[in-house]
Each structure stands twice: as C-alpha cells, then as structure tokens.
C-alpha cells in the first residue's frame, strides 16, 4: 500500500522533444504528489508538485498530469533540453504535518543534443 | 545557513566499524528527515524528527541504526558495526512545518558511505 511505482527506469529523448515519466500509487490516503530532480552528486530538488483536487499543473516547460481514479500521475517535460538530463523521482505522501514521502525508483533522463 | 549541510560528503569505513553522519538543517526548519539512496534505487525513508515529538523510526532497517537530534537542530545518524550492504548515499532533508502545513523538503547533498 505504501509503494509508488515509476517508469521507465531510463529514457533518452532528442533535444526539443517531449519527455514523459509515469508513476502509479496504491494508498488512496496520499494527497500530495511532488516530483524531484537530482543531478549527480547533489540531493534531490523539488521541481513541481500537485494535489488531487486538480488534474493538471503547469510550471514553465514542466507539467504534472494527475488521474485520481487510476491512481496515476505523470511528468511531462516539453521542449526538452540537454540541461534537463538528470534523474527524476516521483513521490507521494499525506500532506498534513510532517510528510513522510514515499519515492518512486527514479528515471534517468538523457536529452541528446 | 542557506541550505541543508551534511558532513562528511564521503566516508570510507571498514566493515564492523561505527560511523556517524551529521546533518545541519536550515535554521528554523522544524522537521528533519533521513533517507538512504542505494545505487540506482529510489530514496528509502529511515527516520524523521518533528519538533519535540517522538521521532518516527519506522524506516530504520536494523537496530544497528540510530539517530538523534539535539536542541531541535543538528542531527546525527549513527550506524554501528557497519556492513557492506550499508554502502549508500545518506540524504538529510529539512522542512518548515506549521500546524498542518508543510512547506516542502530541502535536501542536502548527502554523505556517500562506502563500507569495505
């Protein structure tokens, strides 16, 4: 019930293309769904997050799509750039108080120039 | 400081030795978390501290692992009698929690622990 499953494990996209990473969760009590970006040697950094009262959230080139009935959410990176090459993690938690985030396994994204 | 600071950044230790990893959270952040990231894996929750409440230790993998947070600020994660499977990057994060609101995690850069 605590798992968050992320796919694909790795992804190669051409510069200018759309990168799509998918996650699925089991615990229906989860109500906070962030995405983190991690560069080598650094800790993860919050990229964008969504709550289940909306189906989509967009910040610049990054969009989260959320499907509550399917218990799935995805990250779309539009006009992907070589600087977007990093590992991306989805996560989920119950939003109140001190959140204990449950993370997906990560997706290593490579954007080819 | 401006961010979450972890030390050391790298630690190589012999199997069976004890190690201490340190985390300095962002000043004023009330919640502090430890996660473990094994090679090519996601982040595994270990423990969190929130204010004066009892810590949530539900993620600690064995009794060789312990952590404390002194004065509501600095935290130390201790691993006793290290094993090779303890090799991983240990990440600390802190967040500001006010009532029911949590203003998001800030992670440190981690301590890479290698047990030889």
């Amino acid at each position: 019930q605590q798992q968050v499953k992320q796919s694909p494990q790795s992804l190669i996209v051409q510069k200018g293309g759309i990168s799509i990473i998918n996650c699925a969760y089991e615990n229906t009590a989860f109500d906070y769904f962030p995405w983190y970006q991690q560069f080598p040697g650094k800790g993860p950094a919050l990229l964008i997050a969504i709550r289940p009262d909306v189906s989509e959230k967009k910040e610049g080139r990054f969009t989260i799509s959320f499907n509550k009935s399917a218990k799935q959410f995805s990250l779309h990176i539009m006009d992907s750039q070589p600087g977007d090459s990093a590992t991306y993690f989805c996560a989920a938690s119950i939003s109140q108080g001190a959140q204990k985030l449950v993370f997906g396994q990560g997706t290593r994204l490579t954007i080819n120039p | 400081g401006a961010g979450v600071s972890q030390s050391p950044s790298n630690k190589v230790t012999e199997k069976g030795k004890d190690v201490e990893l340190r985390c300095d959270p962002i000043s004023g952040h009330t919640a502090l978390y430890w996660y473990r990231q094994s090679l090519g894996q996601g982040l595994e929750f270990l423990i969190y501290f929130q204010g004066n409440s009892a810590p949530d230790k539900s993620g600690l993998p064995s009794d060789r692992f312990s952590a404390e947070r002194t004065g509501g600020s600095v935290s130390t994660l201790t691993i006793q009698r290290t094993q090779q499977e303890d090799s991983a990057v240990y990440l600390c994060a802190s967040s500001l929690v006010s009532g029911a609101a949590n203003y998001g995690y800030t992670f440190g850069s981690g301590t890479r622990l290698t047990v030889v």
Side-chain angles (χ1 to χ4, degrees), chain A residues 9 32 36 38 41-46 51 87 89 95-106, chain B residues 31 33 35 37 40-43 45 48 50 56 58 91 97 99-102 104-105 107-110:
Chain A
Q9 283 189 310
Y32 175 68
Y36 283 81
Q38 185 178 31
K42 301 293 185 184
L46 178 65
R51 299 188 189 275
T87 299
F89 293 95
S95 62
Q96 288 201 351
Q99 302 160 353
K100 185 166 67 177
L101 286 171
V102 179
F103 283 85
Q105 295 301 96
Chain B
Y33 313 79
Y35 282 79
Q37 184 175 23
Q41 299 295 311
L43 282 71
F45 168 78
Y48 83 73
Q50 164 55 14
D56 180 337
S58 60
L91 290 160
V97 176
N102 187 314
Y105 283 28
F107 279 93
S109 293

Side-chain angles (χ1 to χ4, degrees), chain A residues 15-100:
Chain A
K15 178 183 174 181
I18 302 173
S19 304
I20 302 174
I21 305 170
N22 301 299
C23 284
Y25 64 98
E26 298 172 354
N27 188 345
T28 55
F30 288 151
D31 61 355
Y32 175 68
F33 303 90
W35 285 88
Y36 283 81
Q37 180 188 55
Q38 185 178 31
F39 293 105
K42 301 293 185 184
L46 178 65
L47 189 61
I48 186 172
I50 197 168
R51 299 188 189 275
D53 51 345
V54 296
S55 60
E56 186 175 282
K57 183 174 181 179
K58 184 176 181 179
E59 290 184 1
R61 296 184 295 108
F62 300 91
T63 300
I64 300 179
S65 297
F66 184 81
N67 186 330
K68 187 174 181 178
S69 61
K71 293 187 287 186
Q72 294 175 348
F73 58 110
S74 60
L75 176 69
H76 295 233
I77 306 174
M78 313 300 286
D79 187 27
S80 300
Q81 299 297 312
D84 297 330
S85 297
T87 299
Y88 292 80
F89 293 95
C90 63
S93 75
I94 298 168
S95 62
Q96 288 201 351
Q99 302 160 353
K100 185 166 67 177

